[in-house]
Amino acid sequence: MNPFQFERSSSSSEAILRMGKNSRAKFIGGGTNLIDLMKEGVESSDFLLDVNHVGMNEVLELPGGRIRIGASVTNSDAAYSGLVEERFPLLRDAILAGASPQLRNMATCGGNLLQRTRCYYFYDLATACNKRENGSGCDAIAGNNRIHALFGASDACIAVHPSDMCVALATLNAEIHVLGPNGPRVIRIADFHRLPGNDPTRDNTLSRDELIIAIELPPSPLNHHYHYAKVRDRSSYAFALISAAVGMNLEAGKIQSASIAMGGVAHKPWRDSRAEKLLIGKRPEIRVFRDFSEAFFKSARGLGHNNFKIELGKRTLVRALEEASLK
């Protein structure tokens, strides 16, 4: 790993100003992904700017039942926050399904949003990877693509987004609050992560000098009938082959609303609002859930080694919906 300068910012405005003066600078929170990438030579920077001490480390209650999770709040502190446990237990379960206790104690919620793919080829400098160097090719397409995308891929990249937390945030319609040289803005979680298209080097819609300040969650009716299902190669400390974050609002024995996102299947947490509408007004029965899973995966496209993920995804969805309906 190359030498780098490390400085600590005391305010978000100072951090943004410093970032604008150095084109190779990067923000650092917990560093659980960035430092690994720098060690492997995938990422490089000669200036890391610590933003853990700029006042973004609280979980706050807001008017109208909303909550605000500061970007520097660790994954562990978010999961065990009383506000999150009470109002958004789906988010708690998703966070606790990720990484290990030691990593959750270090990783920040802002950093979790920004973590990069765990595609083998992305980490291997001896291979062609358009995400690492656009125009070099994608060895995963004709290679070992067992963990790769079923939706939203392109001829340039078939990688998947690795976060568990973000899958739950997609189900809960979170908002990402950011601050940049032009002031604050709010990005819906659905618009935050990008599909690869012709430029897989960009994972999200942030500008390089914008800083994530907080995640806000609107009040949700999904805190009773919910479930986070994660299927992986080993029972802990592994990324999802398939995951599903399910929330339903049941009244009088029927589904009044539903929100479902899947992980391990695309460059971003994947939702299908048209398929979700098929659940509305239906009883929470296995037949209904199977019909929904077929509709959700209708446009899925396997790449060879990952064809098994289509059937696995359908079964995971059905199981998650069953578990949510029984709570």
Side-chain angles (χ1 to χ4, degrees), residues 50-327:
D50 181 0
V51 291
N52 283 302
H53 304 273
V54 301
M56 307 185 300
N57 56 356
E58 293 183 285
V59 180
L60 300 173
E61 183 174 17
L62 302 178
R66 299 172 68 89
I67 71 167
R68 181 180 177 95
I69 303 171
S72 296
V73 173
T74 67
N75 287 179
S76 291
D77 285 347
Y80 293 118
S81 159
L83 286 171
V84 172
E85 288 191 300
E86 176 186 356
R87 299 187 187 178
F88 303 96
L90 175 63
L91 177 59
R92 172 204 60 201
D93 289 357
I95 292 174
L96 293 178
S100 66
Q102 293 88 347
L103 284 170
R104 292 194 296 268
N105 287 342
M106 285 294 297
T108 63
C109 290
N112 192 303
L113 287 163
L114 299 174
Q115 65 177 302
R116 309 207 69 189
T117 184
R118 266 49 177 202
C119 171
Y120 331 115
Y121 299 93
F122 177 63
Y123 273 80
D124 186 352
L125 300 184
T127 66
C129 173
N130 287 316
K131 179 171 283 296
R132 200 175 58 242
E133 182 183 352
N134 200 19
S136 65
C138 175
D139 280 349
I141 292 176
N144 184 354
N145 49 48
R146 178 176 180 271
I147 66 171
H148 290 79
L150 300 173
F151 301 100
S154 72
D155 291 339
C157 183
I158 59 171
V160 298
H161 186 68
S163 171
D164 291 289
M165 183 188 83
C166 290
V167 184
L169 292 179
T171 295
L172 296 168
N173 297 308
E175 298 171 351
I176 315 304
H177 289 245
V178 306
L179 183 65
N182 298 320
R185 68 181 179 120
V186 180
I187 309 171
R188 299 187 313 144
I189 186 67
D191 300 324
F192 184 80
H193 296 104
R194 295 178 67 253
L195 293 178
N198 294 322
D199 184 9
T201 60
R202 292 191 61 208
D203 294 335
N204 55 65
T205 55
L206 280 182
S207 298
R208 65 164 299 276
D209 53 359
E210 285 186 309
L211 176 65
I212 298 173
I213 300 297
I215 300 165
E216 286 195 13
L217 293 164
S220 173
L222 309 178
N223 59 350
H224 295 297
H225 298 284
Y226 65 90
H227 188 71
Y228 186 72
K230 180 176 181 178
V231 181
R232 45 191 163 178
D233 285 325
R234 57 181 184 269
S235 61
S236 67
Y237 195 40
F239 294 96
L241 287 169
I242 291 283
S243 65
V246 169
M248 293 187 292
N249 180 25
L250 300 180
E251 293 181 16
K254 292 185 177 181
I255 301 168
Q256 303 302 313
S257 62
S259 184
I260 295 110
M262 297 205 72
V265 297
H267 221 65
K268 60 188 291 184
W270 196 258
R271 285 187 63 177
D272 187 333
S273 57
R274 289 178 298 179
E276 287 172 12
K277 291 177 182 178
L278 298 176
L279 294 170
I280 307 306
K282 304 288 180 61
R283 294 192 176 278
E285 299 172 348
I286 187 70
R287 173 186 56 80
V288 171
F289 298 154
R290 285 175 177 163
D291 288 345
F292 167 76
S293 71
E294 291 292 336
F296 191 101
F297 276 88
K298 185 177 181 179
S299 62
R301 296 292 179 268
L303 300 158
H305 295 109
N306 71 343
N307 289 353
F308 75 98
K309 288 176 63 173
I310 297 176
E311 183 61 27
L312 179 64
K314 293 176 184 178
R315 296 188 183 201
T316 302
L317 260 185
V318 171
R319 188 187 78 180
L321 286 161
E322 282 187 290
E323 292 288 342
S325 69
L326 294 174
K327 289 185 177 178

